[in-house]
């Protein structure tokens, strides 16, 4: 099968720093290729993926300017119209509008959402003649909150588990960890409160948001607690550092205050054998399997109580269970199964 993967331009692949969908695009391009398929990509100029043909469009720069974003739409339209008969499957991680030229044609299309879904765009597209169009969201919670109609499926995000090291046993005094962008909705202040209430160490990793109100949040609610001993801030981390710190953590704390579509950090922790203790919001209920890969709690007191259960936690079983659900090869096959079962809508 010949597959085209499309992504908004702006971030180079392979990703050097932060990357959301870009990491997934790189991962699934390689997974599809390993499964015997021919893979082309329409992604940022200068990007490379081993074994795949890359058609570069759009320059590096995130977020793109309004002019560059509009230019990308017309470039994608020309590309897809010209090659509409060359592909068996178009897997789109970019804007839904990119698919406009190929909507009525028999090429099978998967439109994947990893962030909030704009229902107005969905309704507009569904009023147009279309065939073989499947929508996916990275959690059922995300799809249900959007209240959209159409051929929708939940397909979770993934990681390559072979890039993460299992740490089957950690020391009794191993630290807790908070990993993510330091914004109020991510709940870093709650993680600090939990660490202090239980007299445990906490390692905080992640970049501080450049927004003024989030910088003020860091300055007033986070920075005053950082002492380098009990509460340690190590800044943004690369992939190797993330693997190291997650592996030696007692647990990953995720006291989110918003409905996060899918926190990849959860499965990154699980890949190291590290349990996730998270507030039941967004995708947490679906991703964390109680007592196996972590604990779902409703409030700060519940998070504190969950820490008392860690002495019996099986870190090896945690990784094995998570890999069976979220490894890149597993999720890639789920996407291709959608392609196999997709049926025309008109």
């Amino acid at each position: 099968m010949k597959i085209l993967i499309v992504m908004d331009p702006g971030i180079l692949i392979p990703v050097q720093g932060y990357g959301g969908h870009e990491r997934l695009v790189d991962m699934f391009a390689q997974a599809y290729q390993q499964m015997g398929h021919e893979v082309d990509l329409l992604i940022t100029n200068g990007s490379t993926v081993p074994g795949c043909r890359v058609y570069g469009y759009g320059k590096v720069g995130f977020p793109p300017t309004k002019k560059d974003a509009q230019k990308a739409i017309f470039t994608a339209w020309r590309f897809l119209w010209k090659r509409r008969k060359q592909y068996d499957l178009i897997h789109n991680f970019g804007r839904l509008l990119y698919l406009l030229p190929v909507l009525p044609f028999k090429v099978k299309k998967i439109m994947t959402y990893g962030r909030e879904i704009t229902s107005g765009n969905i309704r507009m597209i569904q009023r147009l003649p279309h065939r073989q169009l499947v929508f996916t969201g990275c959690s059922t919670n995300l799809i249900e909150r959007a209240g959209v109609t159409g051929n929708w499926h939940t397909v979770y995000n993934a990681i390559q588990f072979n890039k993460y090291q299992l740490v089957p046993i950690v020391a009794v005094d191993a630290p807790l960890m908070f990993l993510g962008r330091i914004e109020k909705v991510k709940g870093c202040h709650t993680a600090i409160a939990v660490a202090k209430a239980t007299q445990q160490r906490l390692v905080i990793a992640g970049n501080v948001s450049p927004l003024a109100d989030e910088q003020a949040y860091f300055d007033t609610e986070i920075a005053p607690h950082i002492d380098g001993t009990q509460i340690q801030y190590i800044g943004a981390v690369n992939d190797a550092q993330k693997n190291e710190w997650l592996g030696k953590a007692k647990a990953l704390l995720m006291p989110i205050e918003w409905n996060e579509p899918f926190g990849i950090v959860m499965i990154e922790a699980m890949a190291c054998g590290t349990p996730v203790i998270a507030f039941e919001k967004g995708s947490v209920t679906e991703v964390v399997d109680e007592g196996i890969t972590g604990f779902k709690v409703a409030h700060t007191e519940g998070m504190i109580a969950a820490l008392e259960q860690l002495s019996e936690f099986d870190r090896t079983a945690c990784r094995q269970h998570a890999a069976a659900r979220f490894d890149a090869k597993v999720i890639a096959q789920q996407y291709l199964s959608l392609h196999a079962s997709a049926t025309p809508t008109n």
Side-chain angles (χ1 to χ4, degrees):
M1 182 163 61
K2 189 169 183 179
I3 301 172
L4 173 70
I5 302 179
V6 182
M7 177 71 234
D8 295 321
I11 297 178
L12 281 175
I13 297 176
V15 178
Q16 299 302 313
Y18 172 79
H21 270 174
E22 292 80 12
R23 287 184 180 272
L24 296 177
V25 165
D26 189 1
M27 188 179 359
F28 290 128
Q30 294 182 54
Y32 290 155
Q33 184 184 208
Q34 290 166 6
M35 296 164 73
H37 303 291
E38 182 181 352
V39 181
D40 291 355
L41 299 102
L42 183 61
I43 53 179
T44 305
N45 273 323
S47 297
T48 58
V49 178
C52 300
R53 183 183 293 108
V54 172
Y55 294 95
Y57 82 123
K59 60 186 179 182
V60 176
F62 185 83
T65 64
K66 183 176 181 180
K67 181 180 178 181
D68 288 339
Q70 291 174 338
K71 184 178 179 181
I73 295 174
F74 292 109
T75 303
W77 282 352
R78 286 193 296 270
F79 183 94
L80 291 175
W81 174 257
K82 184 178 179 180
R83 296 170 173 80
R84 64 190 182 277
K85 297 181 180 180
Q86 294 182 14
Y87 297 104
D88 302 294
L89 169 66
I90 298 173
H91 192 170
N92 184 22
F93 288 83
R95 300 179 67 171
L96 176 58
L97 281 176
Y98 294 161
L99 295 178
L100 198 60
V102 294
L103 281 178
F105 295 97
K106 66 179 182 179
V107 55
K108 295 182 178 180
K109 299 164 280 286
I110 299 175
M111 176 66 219
T112 290
Y113 285 90
R115 55 181 66 91
E116 296 302 318
I117 298 166
T118 305
S119 57
N121 289 348
I122 307 295
R123 289 193 296 269
M124 178 198 70
I125 288 294
Q126 295 203 12
R127 285 195 292 265
L128 300 174
H130 59 281
R131 300 167 64 192
Q132 307 290 60
L133 177 61
V134 175
F135 296 96
T136 71
C138 60
S139 66
T140 302
N141 177 272
L142 174 67
I143 297 170
E144 291 179 344
R145 284 190 286 107
V148 287
T149 59
N151 189 3
W152 282 86
H153 300 264
T154 298
V155 182
Y156 296 120
N157 285 338
I159 60 171
Q160 294 168 298
F161 272 68
N162 62 3
K163 293 190 175 182
Y164 292 81
Q165 182 67 43
L166 169 67
V167 180
I169 300 174
V170 295
V172 174
D173 63 347
L176 304 171
M177 187 163 192
F178 174 92
L179 175 58
R181 192 165 56 250
I182 302 178
E183 299 177 335
K184 189 173 180 61
V185 296
K186 298 282 190 176
C188 185
H189 56 287
T190 302
I192 291 173
V194 169
K196 290 195 169 187
T198 57
Q199 298 182 338
Q200 298 195 57
R201 291 187 296 134
L202 174 69
V203 175
I204 300 169
N207 58 307
V208 179
S209 171
L211 297 176
D213 56 342
E214 298 296 354
Q215 181 65 57
Y217 163 71
F218 178 80
D219 292 340
T220 59
E221 298 190 46
I222 306 301
H225 299 283
I226 298 171
D227 59 12
T229 303
Q230 183 183 15
I231 310 298
Q232 181 181 2
Y233 176 52
I234 60 173
V237 292
N238 60 30
D239 290 347
Q241 293 168 325
K242 185 188 303 181
N243 194 353
E244 176 188 356
W245 284 102
L246 283 173
K248 61 186 181 183
K250 182 181 298 183
L252 174 73
L253 302 186
M254 194 172 169
I256 53 174
E257 298 181 359
W258 71 303
N259 290 315
E260 190 160 4
F262 191 105
I264 291 181
V265 66
M266 289 190 286
I267 54 177
E268 290 175 328
M270 295 171 189
C272 298
T274 301
V276 177
I277 306 178
F279 284 176
E280 288 187 280
K281 291 182 179 293
S283 62
V284 167
T285 299
E286 303 167 55
V287 175
V288 177
D289 290 299
E290 187 69 21
I292 303 173
T293 58
F295 304 92
K296 295 170 280 194
V297 300
H299 41 60
T300 304
E301 293 74 18
M303 188 164 280
I304 292 171
L307 292 175
E308 299 176 1
Q309 303 181 57
L310 295 183
S311 61
E312 302 298 323
F313 190 82
D314 188 335
R315 293 174 65 100
T316 300
C318 171
R319 176 187 167 95
Q320 292 173 343
H321 186 86
R325 295 189 63 196
F326 304 115
D327 185 65
K329 294 179 181 178
V330 173
I331 301 301
Q333 185 56 59
Q334 290 180 15
Y335 275 123
L336 295 189
S337 296
L338 292 178
H339 162 266
S341 63
T343 55
T345 58
N346 67 330

